[in-house]
Each structure stands twice: as C-alpha cells, then as structure tokens.
Amino acid sequence: DLRAFLDLLRIRSSSTLFRLRSAADIEQRLRFLNTGPNQVPEVIAAHLQGDGYPGAGFREILYLVNVDLEPHTLRFDSELGKSYLLHPVHRAARAADRRVAEQARFEAATGRFTVPARAAVVFVVE
C-alpha cells in the first residue's frame, strides 16, 4: 500500500536518528534488543538514543519490525519504566495502517512491547 509506505517515509523524516552519519554515531546510539538465545527470529527490535543528537526530535526511539503472520510480544528489561508512546505518525487519524494504533502496545511496568503481524512499529520517548 502506497499510503503505508508514505507513513514510513514520514517517520523516517521525523528524526535524524534514522539517518546516522558515521560509524561512531551508530556505535554510540544504536542498540539491537532482540538478540541472544531467546531471540524471536521474526522480529527486529532496535533502540536509538537521541539525547544531544542534532535533529533527533525524540529523546529515544524504539522500533520493531515483525515479519511473522502472528503478532508478537517481547520484553526488554532495559526499557522498564520508560514513557514510550507510539510515534505521532502512527497515532494520526490518517495513518494508513490502523492496526498499529489499535494493536501495538507498550507496558512500562513490565517492559513489554506488542507488535502486530506484518508490521513496522515505532515507539518514542518525547
């Protein structure tokens, strides 16, 4: 769907964190979360740190890409207690993939993120 693709472009353009300029920036600001022996192989999960980065727009970004036909819930202890919200593009009334606003969730008390099937979801700390 072209509208969903355009939403992803709007998300990408909302923060320079999606366009890190150097290997040093990547090493300092990007961290993959869904790794190790308990990894859910159908989901990519990564955290971008925005503090002090020009044009970041957000203090933190966490994105999940679920390629599975089923939704997944993943827990990250490093994210406990944080104040993540869905990215403003996902929250907008004109968002192309309404499943994200309806089904994607973050639970601060448990550090759990739920991502719908076949979806790319971006959470932010403003």
Side-chain angles (χ1 to χ4, degrees):
D1 178 345
L2 177 60
R3 290 180 341 114
F5 177 70
L6 293 174
D7 279 356
L8 292 177
L9 288 178
R10 278 190 277 282
I11 289 170
R12 183 179 185 274
S13 69
S14 73
S15 175
T16 54
L17 292 170
F18 291 115
R19 300 176 305 282
L20 294 170
R21 296 177 298 229
S22 69
D25 286 346
I26 292 168
E27 287 178 16
Q28 180 182 3
R29 299 190 177 274
L30 174 65
R31 180 173 39 100
F32 287 98
L33 301 177
N34 182 28
T35 61
N38 297 322
Q39 177 184 29
V40 177
E42 298 86 2
V43 179
I44 296 170
H47 178 274
L48 292 159
Q49 182 61 44
D51 287 337
Y53 196 75
F58 304 101
R59 288 192 351 231
E60 300 180 48
I61 295 174
L62 192 142
Y63 64 87
L64 301 110
V65 180
N66 180 7
V67 300
D68 200 357
L69 296 173
E70 300 295 326
H72 284 281
T73 299
L74 292 88
R75 178 183 168 158
F76 305 117
D77 289 340
S78 61
E79 307 312 302
L80 283 166
K82 293 188 178 180
S83 55
Y84 282 105
L85 301 170
L86 280 174
H87 190 282
V89 170
H90 290 313
R91 295 189 311 242
R94 63 185 168 102
D97 188 352
R98 296 304 309 158
R99 296 174 314 123
V100 173
E102 295 165 2
Q103 300 172 25
R105 298 283 176 266
F106 170 65
E107 299 169 14
T110 62
R112 291 172 42 159
F113 291 83
T114 300
V115 59
R118 299 280 171 115
V121 179
V122 179
F123 289 92
V124 297
V125 175
E126 296 178 324

